[in-house]
Amino acid sequence: MRRFPLHERVKVPVIKNIKFALSLVWKTDKRLFLGYLINMTVDGIFKMFVQNILFLKMLLGIIDRKGSFEEYLQNLLLFLGVSVLLKAVNWSSNYMRQAATKNVLKGLNNLVFRKAISLDVSCYEDPAFYDKYQRATNVLAWSYFDAICSSISVIIGNSIALLFVIGTVTAIDPTYLVFLLPVSLVFVIEIIKSRLVYKRDLEMTTNNRIKAYIQRTVFLKDYSKDLRTSNIFSVLMTRFKAAIDSNIMILKKYGVKLFLFSMVSTLFSEFIPIIGTYAFAGYQFVYTNALTISGFSVVLSSINSVRESIMSVANNFDMITQMAFYFQNLRDFFDYEPKVVNGSEQCDEFRSLEFKNVYFRYPSAEKDTLHNVSFKINKGETVAIVGVNGAGKSTIVKLLLRFYDVTDGEILLNGKNIKEYDLASLRRSYGAVFQDYRNFAVSVFENIMCHECSDEEKKIAEKALMQSGIWDKISALPKGGDTVITKEFEKDGIGLSGGENQKVSVARLFAKDFQFAVLDEPSSALDPIAEYRMYENLIEVTKDKTVMYISHRLSSAVLSDKIIVISGGKVIETGSHKELLSMGGEYSRMFTLQASSYNKESEVEDDER
């Protein structure tokens, strides 16, 4: 797997990244770049040369040679006509790029979303990845694609205008070009500044992510009760303040350097060109009579135009250099190659699943989570994998679904290594319910079927909701199963409790045509009665199917043909419920403890009655 380092090299291929950014724009809607190019080129040539130099020279020339007012008026009307024509061109190009902006953002977001869904699950457990991902998505959120098209267009337009203006200045006196040479150093200074700004922003990324997390947490419903009934808010605020203080230190660290570079940049771009040009032009006009009034005015206007053009080119070059650093993050994101590689085989009817001497260690872990795990499940068997929290049970599910690949050993499906199977085909063959279940802000029916539903599919979803034990509540709602879960986007949405949400999640399994059911703590949020009813329905739905229960609660184990006990990442016991109880080992101890706990709860309830 390609890793995303938190502190990466600052040196990046600027030209290559700019080409990458423009190629994405061109692919999604080329009108965005063309609109900016027409707009900025026309604007630069008109303001820098036509307005400030050409027409000024023409009008002052008429005055110098004492031309007629009619000639002067004709030139003014010509200037007005050119201005109106160019303004119309600019209006058209503005409309064109504004229309294209939406298409570009839509297309680029789609590319990012499709790439994000293809990433390894391990990426979401890597803080360094989140830093990289945040910087990559900021390229879209902060409209960098608009900015880079604008900056490149300004550079092209002003460079063309600059050639015209420099030609005019050279024709008057090439000596004036000497005073413009220091401006060229501004390019070097701005490049150094852009690298410092990028390094500064890079160091602030983690702090900004912490701040964003805390800001989001304070406003989310999921955390509202805990925030109000505990002291955790003060802990979060301490972290928030520490992130801000750390950012302040980073800003101070780079602030002095950036200020000094800005001062030197101003010296070379403002003081030397202006003072030098004005002094030499004044000398020529007063002492040598080498300049007329019109020549003097044109020289000063030309020098200002040259200086503004060069500064505009330098500033925009600085901007695209900075943006090139951020586009590197987006390139790295798109270039990421998943470690879990897709196979080509399609899954056929399930016959067997075998873990064969499987070892697994998470990327950032120092020791194995699973150690030499071996077991086999045959078609039609119901198997429970039990153990205390942290024993490695859920890791088995992650490996089975290829969210991760084994570190050593192999997993065989129908006798073939699961790495040979097409990922989509492999995952479709399972009906899975996870302990960290999630429902989405779409309708209840869409949450069950996982797509927009036809009337026939709504009936399937309705039956699944009945089997999971939540249909009575859903059917009582004004919109029934068409009600959106959460009120985040619709005021008539529904907020469900933890147990109710889990019942909706379990209903997905009931609605799916699967061969092998994988149930990772499917009743963790349910009370004992709801749990019992759910298991009754599961038994009915999974008749003649293969079922794997993952649980630390042993109610599912009693229903199983075979029980595998995991402890410390190893298989320590295997057998039926009766066999394991008679062995008097870890399973017997766990079952006895849980049974006594239920007995105590029953005694308390009887006393309360």
Side-chain angles (χ1 to χ4, degrees):
M1 180 183 72
R2 182 174 178 180
R3 298 304 298 266
F4 289 140
L6 179 59
H7 299 291
E8 56 198 287
R9 294 177 303 154
V10 174
K11 186 176 181 180
V12 298
V14 174
I15 301 299
K16 187 178 288 188
N17 287 350
I18 292 169
K19 287 174 63 179
F20 164 75
L22 290 180
S23 68
L24 288 177
V25 170
W26 199 261
K27 185 190 302 182
T28 48
D29 197 327
K30 62 188 74 172
R31 294 178 302 163
L32 179 64
F33 178 67
L34 293 176
Y36 271 115
L37 184 61
I38 295 170
N39 183 258
M40 298 304 177
T41 301
V42 168
D43 203 50
I45 294 174
F46 179 74
K47 287 182 178 177
M48 299 295 179
F49 178 67
V50 176
Q51 177 178 288
N52 292 349
I53 308 298
L54 183 61
F55 274 100
L56 178 65
K57 186 178 181 181
M58 290 169 60
L59 295 176
L60 290 176
I62 294 171
I63 295 172
D64 268 347
R65 67 174 185 272
K66 296 182 171 52
S68 66
F69 179 73
E70 287 76 11
E71 183 184 1
Y72 187 87
L73 186 60
Q74 286 174 0
N75 278 272
L76 282 179
L77 292 174
L78 176 62
F79 175 70
L80 177 62
V82 171
S83 300
V84 171
L85 176 63
L86 295 182
K87 183 61 70 175
V89 172
N90 272 345
W91 282 337
S92 300
S93 61
N94 280 335
Y95 177 79
M96 180 168 67
R97 65 180 175 80
Q98 285 171 7
T101 296
K102 294 178 181 178
N103 289 335
V104 170
L105 285 176
K106 178 183 176 182
L108 294 176
N109 273 304
N110 286 340
L111 288 174
V112 169
F113 293 157
R114 282 197 293 268
K115 184 64 181 181
I117 203 69
S118 73
L119 298 172
D120 291 327
V121 172
S122 59
C123 292
Y124 295 93
E125 298 175 356
D126 183 357
F129 166 78
Y130 266 107
D131 285 333
K132 171 67 72 174
Y133 181 60
Q134 182 182 3
R135 292 194 295 269
T137 53
N138 282 345
V139 171
L140 301 181
W142 296 343
S143 301
Y144 276 14
F145 282 94
D146 266 273
I148 202 165
C149 289
S150 173
S151 292
I152 292 172
S153 300
V154 168
I155 290 172
I156 294 172
N158 282 7
S159 296
I160 295 172
L162 189 60
L163 293 175
F164 286 115
V165 177
I166 287 177
T168 304
V169 172
T170 305
I172 295 173
D173 191 332
T175 307
Y176 287 105
L177 299 179
V178 174
F179 301 109
L180 298 175
L181 290 177
V183 181
S184 61
L185 296 174
V186 174
F187 284 96
V188 178
I189 296 168
E190 293 300 326
I191 290 173
I192 296 172
K193 276 179 61 182
S194 67
R195 293 180 184 276
L196 285 174
V197 169
Y198 180 76
K199 287 177 68 177
R200 179 198 68 192
D201 291 349
L202 192 66
E203 289 188 27
M204 293 170 66
T205 300
T206 301
N207 293 327
N208 289 337
R209 189 159 55 83
I210 291 170
K211 286 166 53 185
Y213 167 77
I214 294 170
Q215 288 168 335
R216 185 173 69 251
T217 299
V218 170
F219 290 104
L220 285 176
K221 174 188 174 184
D222 294 349
Y223 301 95
S224 59
K225 295 175 183 176
D226 292 292
L227 285 169
R228 286 157 178 77
T229 57
S230 70
N231 197 41
I232 195 66
F233 180 72
S234 64
V235 177
L236 292 176
M237 289 308 297
T238 300
R239 296 285 179 89
F240 189 77
K241 183 178 182 300
I244 292 174
D245 291 342
S246 178
N247 274 351
I248 291 172
M249 294 299 295
I250 294 169
L251 290 171
K252 288 180 178 178
K253 173 182 172 183
Y254 289 96
V256 175
K257 291 180 183 178
L258 290 171
F259 173 75
L260 291 175
F261 279 119
S262 295
M263 291 297 293
V264 174
S265 178
T266 301
L267 175 67
F268 288 141
S269 64
E270 300 280 347
F271 294 123
I272 295 176
I274 292 176
I275 293 173
T277 301
Y278 277 50
F280 187 66
Y283 169 78
Q284 282 190 312
F285 180 72
V286 175
Y287 290 102
T288 67
N289 294 321
L291 285 179
T292 61
I293 291 177
S294 63
F296 180 81
S297 299
V298 169
V299 164
L300 296 187
S301 182
S302 297
I303 293 301
N304 276 325
S305 290
V306 169
R307 184 185 61 79
E308 288 177 17
S309 294
I310 292 177
M311 282 305 302
S312 179
V313 169
N315 288 335
N316 281 277
F317 184 78
D318 170 46
M319 285 181 64
I320 64 172
T321 303
Q322 286 188 44
M323 284 185 281
F325 292 123
Y326 292 95
F327 279 112
Q328 183 67 43
N329 295 308
L330 192 61
R331 279 187 64 202
D332 288 346
F333 177 72
F334 281 132
D335 289 344
Y336 175 87
E337 293 295 334
K339 182 179 178 181
V340 177
V341 180
N342 203 10
S344 58
E345 292 284 332
Q346 296 294 310
C347 290
D348 52 13
E349 184 180 349
F350 177 83
R351 296 188 299 277
S352 67
L353 173 76
E354 182 178 5
F355 273 58
K356 196 171 182 180
N357 306 119
V358 168
Y359 291 77
F360 178 72
R361 179 178 299 188
Y362 286 99
S364 58
E366 296 180 356
K367 63 179 183 178
D368 292 338
T369 300
L370 296 181
H371 182 84
N372 197 25
V373 171
S374 295
F375 61 83
K376 187 172 183 179
I377 301 173
N378 294 310
K379 180 179 179 179
E381 285 187 321
T382 298
V383 177
I385 298 179
V386 303
V388 298
N389 289 332
K393 305 184 302 298
S394 291
T395 299
I396 289 174
V397 177
K398 293 177 183 178
L399 296 177
L400 178 65
L401 294 166
R402 289 201 72 199
F403 293 157
Y404 292 85
D405 277 333
V406 300
T407 305
D408 198 7
E410 57 183 346
I411 302 173
L412 305 176
L413 178 62
N414 295 339
K416 289 183 181 178
N417 194 308
I418 61 171
K419 293 180 181 179
E420 297 180 25
Y421 290 101
D422 174 76
L423 279 171
S425 174
L426 176 72
R427 291 167 182 168
R428 275 198 307 269
S429 68
Y430 299 113
V433 179
F434 302 105
Q435 62 174 320
D436 50 351
Y437 54 88
R438 287 291 182 269
N439 292 316
F440 303 92
V442 294
S443 76
V444 177
F445 285 149
E446 288 168 333
N447 266 283
I448 304 305
M449 305 306 295
C450 298
H451 56 248
E452 293 183 4
C453 303
S454 65
D455 291 339
E456 199 62 36
E457 287 173 324
K458 288 180 181 180
K459 292 177 182 177
I460 296 172
E462 182 179 324
K463 182 179 178 182
L465 290 163
M466 288 179 185
Q467 291 172 320
S468 69
I470 189 66
W471 177 244
D472 286 346
K473 173 156 187 166
I474 301 300
S475 62
L477 299 171
K479 292 185 179 180
D482 290 314
T483 305
V484 172
I485 293 180
T486 81
K487 296 179 180 290
E488 187 168 351
F489 303 116
E490 294 194 17
K491 62 181 181 181
D492 56 354
I494 181 175
L496 298 174
S497 68
E500 290 167 342
N501 267 307
Q502 188 160 35
K503 289 176 182 178
V504 171
S505 182
V506 170
R508 288 192 194 120
L509 173 68
F510 293 141
K512 186 174 182 181
D513 181 19
F514 60 88
Q515 299 183 50
F516 189 157
V518 181
L519 305 164
D520 184 6
E521 303 281 6
S523 58
S524 58
L526 304 182
D527 59 71
I529 296 174
E531 179 184 44
Y532 176 77
R533 289 175 179 166
M534 185 201 73
Y535 278 125
E536 276 191 323
N537 288 325
L538 275 173
I539 292 170
E540 180 65 28
V541 170
T542 57
K543 273 182 181 177
D544 303 321
K545 307 264 187 185
T546 309
V547 183
M548 176 194 286
Y549 292 107
I550 306 288
S551 184
H552 68 281
R553 288 161 67 168
L554 304 183
S555 48
S556 60
V558 180
L559 308 172
S560 304
D561 302 317
K562 181 166 61 179
I563 300 166
I564 300 169
V565 184
I566 301 285
S567 179
K570 300 177 182 179
V571 175
I572 60 171
E573 294 174 1
T574 303
S576 67
H577 172 69
K578 187 176 180 180
E579 289 169 345
L580 292 179
L581 281 182
S582 65
M583 288 170 57
E586 179 65 16
Y587 177 82
S588 177
R589 186 187 67 81
M590 291 171 60
F591 188 83
T592 302
L593 284 173
Q594 289 192 18
S596 63
S597 174
Y598 279 123
N599 288 336
K600 287 178 182 178
E601 288 179 11
S602 298
E603 290 172 3
V604 169
E605 289 175 1
D606 290 340
D607 290 342
E608 288 176 349
R609 292 194 189 106

